[in-house]
């Protein structure tokens, strides 16, 4: 089992920045890929960024490319999502997720482990 705990969400004005953290514990050696997902009210959960655990290759959704950065601290088993130039449409609950599979997986179905979520609200 892998446990994931997110932190860092909050309220920010448009154009501002936030950094989300996701601390992984347990069988972290099982992790192949970690992703950050978000879900806005009435919308499906979507992946915005992912990182291949062992090689730190990163991938981004077009909607956040150039504004969000996913990174990993190996010593802390923590993945971060630095969010800059935030827009009101970035408002959502943000979740980190871990998959045993290593690859560019954008679907929620590929991820077995999920954090509890952290809310991000961007005011205009």
């Amino acid at each position: 089992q892998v446990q994931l705990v997110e932190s860092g969400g909050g309220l920010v004005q448009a154009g501002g920045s936030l950094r989300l953290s996701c601390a992984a514990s347990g069988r972290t050696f099982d992790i192949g890929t970690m992703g950050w997902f978000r879900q806005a009210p009435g919308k499906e959960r979507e992946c915005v960024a992912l990182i291949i655990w062992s090689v730190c290759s990163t991938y981004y959704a077009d909607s956040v490319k150039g504004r969000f950065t996913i990174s990993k601290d190996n010593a802390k088993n923590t993945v971060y999502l630095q969010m800059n130039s935030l827009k009101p449409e970035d408002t959502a609950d943000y979740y980190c997720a871990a998959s045993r599979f290593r690859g560019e997986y954008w679907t929620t179905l590929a991820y077995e482990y999920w954090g509890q979520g952290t809310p991000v609200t961007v005011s205009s």
Side-chain angles (χ1 to χ4, degrees):
Q1 293 285 337
V2 174
Q3 293 78 42
L4 303 173
V5 178
E6 302 107 331
S7 61
L11 173 65
V12 65
Q13 289 188 332
S17 299
L18 281 174
R19 188 177 80 158
L20 306 182
S21 300
C22 175
S25 60
R27 297 175 61 91
T28 57
F29 51 83
D30 273 350
I31 298 174
T33 302
M34 286 196 70
W36 280 101
F37 288 74
R38 68 185 182 187
Q39 187 167 21
K43 294 189 176 181
E44 291 188 355
R45 191 169 296 188
E46 62 171 350
C47 184
V48 296
L50 59 96
I51 185 166
I52 311 300
W53 191 253
S54 59
V55 297
C56 291
S57 298
T58 58
Y59 304 87
Y60 299 93
D62 288 342
S63 58
V64 306
K65 200 171 293 183
R67 300 188 298 122
F68 290 11
T69 302
I70 188 171
S71 62
K72 181 167 77 75
D73 184 325
N74 290 320
K76 297 181 179 180
N77 283 330
T78 298
V79 173
Y80 302 98
L81 186 68
Q82 178 66 43
M83 305 186 295
N84 299 329
S85 302
L86 282 161
K87 305 175 181 179
E89 51 263 45
D90 294 318
T91 295
D93 291 327
Y94 283 72
Y95 301 85
C96 67
S99 172
R100 290 179 293 121
F101 304 106
R102 185 169 65 182
E104 190 181 347
Y105 298 109
W106 295 94
T107 174
T108 58
L109 298 176
Y111 294 82
E112 300 95 334
Y113 307 106
W114 292 84
Q116 80 285 359
T118 185
V120 171
T121 302
V122 184
S123 63
S124 57

